[in-house]
Amino acid sequence: MIKAKNIQKFYGDLQVLKRVNIHILEREIVSIVGSSGAGKTTLLQILGTLDSISKNFNSKLLINNTDVTKLKEKELAKFRNKHIGFIFQFHQLLPEFTALENVCIPAFIKKTPKVDAEKRAKELLDFLGLAKRYNHKPNELSGGEQQRVAVARALINNPSIIFADEPSGNLDSESADKLHQLFFKLRDEFGQTFVIVTHNQELANMADRKLVMVDGQITT
């Protein structure tokens, strides 16, 4: 599913990632933990193709048997839209759009017909307990509801991999627990692979595998 070899990242003279190697299997839920500044989010962004690997280090990044380092910008954007979903701590919902419209955005980018996109979005919102929230804008939803809309948006194109960056960091404990359980339900229902950066030890320990980052390297 994901094979990363010798991943290095420099910002000027600062080396953030130091020869990271990682192999993530299909349908696996992997958590990545570590102190602030350890390189967790940078690694997640590189694995999710939102950031690039520093060049000239014989690095490789294979996702679904595709070497994404060899894709041109437009090809990479198309690959990302088709194969990868993202869930962020602060939801990143567009405030002027309804829940239904927010969920549909990646499908519209993929040029999915509107009727098909809305049908799929409603199915996901129903599955996530948001059947009565189609036409509510983000400021009319609770934090937990906003995060579930973000989950639906991540799933709309049926991606094989979901990357989540502190997905429960902005939620109360009850909503966070429900979100954590949801990830496993989604894996069982839809077969996605999850890579989750988190400070929440409960979520980290629930994962199939927990990776610990220290000073730009994976130690376990």
Side-chain angles (χ1 to χ4, degrees):
M1 179 57 68
I2 303 174
K3 293 183 180 180
K5 178 184 177 183
N6 196 30
I7 303 301
Q8 300 198 57
K9 184 65 179 181
F10 288 81
Y11 293 106
D13 293 330
L14 176 64
Q15 186 173 9
V16 180
L17 297 179
K18 304 172 182 177
R19 299 183 182 277
V20 174
N21 297 294
I22 189 170
H23 184 195
I24 297 171
L25 303 176
E26 186 177 1
R27 296 176 64 94
E28 190 174 24
I29 295 181
V30 175
S31 63
I32 302 176
V33 301
S35 60
S36 296
K40 305 183 303 297
T41 293
T42 300
L43 177 60
L44 192 79
Q45 290 176 339
I46 286 176
L47 295 178
T49 73
L50 294 176
D51 199 354
S52 60
I53 304 166
S54 292
K55 296 181 179 179
N56 303 319
F57 292 102
N58 193 29
S59 304
K60 288 185 179 180
L61 177 56
L62 299 176
I63 301 176
N64 285 349
N65 296 315
T66 297
D67 186 348
V68 297
T69 64
K70 295 182 179 179
L71 298 179
K72 296 179 180 179
E73 187 174 344
K74 287 186 178 179
E75 294 174 328
L76 186 60
K78 185 176 181 179
F79 179 90
R80 185 188 306 121
N81 179 254
K82 180 179 180 180
H83 295 282
I84 297 173
F86 297 96
I87 303 169
F88 302 100
Q89 177 177 355
F90 295 104
H91 322 312
Q92 305 292 345
L93 301 179
L94 297 179
E96 65 270 30
F97 294 128
T98 66
L100 182 64
E101 290 167 337
N102 267 284
V103 173
C104 285
I105 289 171
F108 292 155
I109 293 172
K110 192 180 177 182
K111 301 190 184 303
T112 301
K114 182 178 180 181
V115 63
D116 295 333
E118 289 187 346
K119 180 176 183 292
R120 176 60 176 159
K122 288 177 180 179
E123 289 172 352
L124 289 168
L125 289 170
D126 290 352
F127 177 80
L128 295 170
L130 295 169
K132 297 182 179 180
R133 295 289 188 267
Y134 293 168
N135 299 314
H136 288 66
K137 293 184 177 180
N139 64 359
E140 300 172 312
L141 302 171
S142 69
E145 288 173 334
Q146 290 181 51
Q147 192 60 299
R148 280 182 280 153
V149 172
V151 170
R153 180 184 59 192
L155 294 170
I156 186 71
N157 286 341
N158 298 314
S160 52
I161 306 165
I162 303 291
F163 291 99
D165 190 3
E166 297 290 357
S168 58
N170 201 36
L171 300 178
D172 60 67
S173 58
E174 181 180 357
S175 296
D177 183 61
K178 289 180 179 178
L179 182 66
H180 300 166
Q181 297 295 336
L182 176 61
F183 289 151
F184 290 85
K185 184 177 181 180
L186 289 170
R187 190 264 301 273
D188 294 340
E189 291 279 343
F190 300 114
Q192 269 95 9
T193 300
F194 282 82
V195 183
I196 305 169
V197 163
T198 183
H199 281 102
N200 188 301
Q201 288 300 320
E202 180 182 356
L203 172 58
N205 291 333
M206 290 169 64
D208 300 322
R209 191 154 49 102
K210 180 170 73 173
L211 304 178
V212 179
M213 287 199 73
V214 177
D215 192 25
Q217 295 178 306
I218 293 175
T219 61
T220 57

